[in-house]
Amino acid sequence: MFEDETIDIDCPKCRHKNSILVSDFEQSAESQFVCEGCKATIKVESAAFHDRLEQLKKEVDDLEREATQDTRKARRPRKDDFQI
Ligand SMILES: [Zn+2]
């Protein structure tokens, strides 16, 4: 479900934020990309990447939890519904 997600990785050289597709990284333990800002080749180690991925998963989990709570809240009859 993260295939279409992107993460932002700061270029260590020019600080340009590069949006990288998660699926590009899941295929290999170590990956590299070309910075959009300075065209340098940035190597991304899997450990660092997986930290970011864990953060991303946590955020998605939080969003899903909120969505579930919202649904429950909406379905639960509120006190106001019974007042005429
Ligand atoms: Zn750069």
Side-chain angles (χ1 to χ4, degrees), residues 47-69:
F49 169 69
H50 281 291
D51 281 352
R52 305 294 283 259
L53 191 61
E54 283 304 310
Q55 280 178 12
L56 191 70
K57 278 180 180 170
K58 225 175 271 173
E59 280 170 26
V60 172
D61 280 352
D62 285 349
L63 284 177
E64 280 178 352
R65 208 173 299 130
E66 273 172 33
T68 310
Q69 282 172 357

Side-chain angles (χ1 to χ4, degrees):
M1 74 180 280
F2 297 107
E3 278 78 13
D4 297 328
E5 297 282 351
T6 56
I7 56 170
D8 293 332
I9 297 178
D10 294 336
C11 172
K13 290 184 178 168
C14 72
R15 300 291 163 196
H16 179 82
K17 255 194 198 336
N18 293 273
S19 289
I20 309 298
L21 212 56
V22 169
S23 57
D24 286 349
F25 286 96
E26 285 183 327
Q27 290 158 11
S28 56
E30 196 177 79
S31 197
Q32 55 187 32
F33 65 93
V34 177
C35 172
E36 290 170 3
C38 65
K39 307 294 177 197
T41 301
I42 315 297
K43 204 189 256 188
V44 180
E45 285 168 26
S46 63
F49 169 69
H50 281 291
D51 281 352
R52 305 294 283 259
L53 191 61
E54 283 304 310
Q55 280 178 12
L56 191 70
K57 278 180 180 170
K58 225 175 271 173
E59 280 170 26
V60 172
D61 280 352
D62 285 349
L63 284 177
E64 280 178 352
R65 208 173 299 130
E66 273 172 33
T68 310
Q69 282 172 357
D70 283 350
T71 309
R72 254 187 248 132
K73 224 179 279 169
R75 279 188 191 148
R76 195 192 304 145
R78 290 177 305 157
K79 192 177 134 208
D80 291 347
D81 293 339
F82 298 107
Q83 286 180 342
I84 302 171

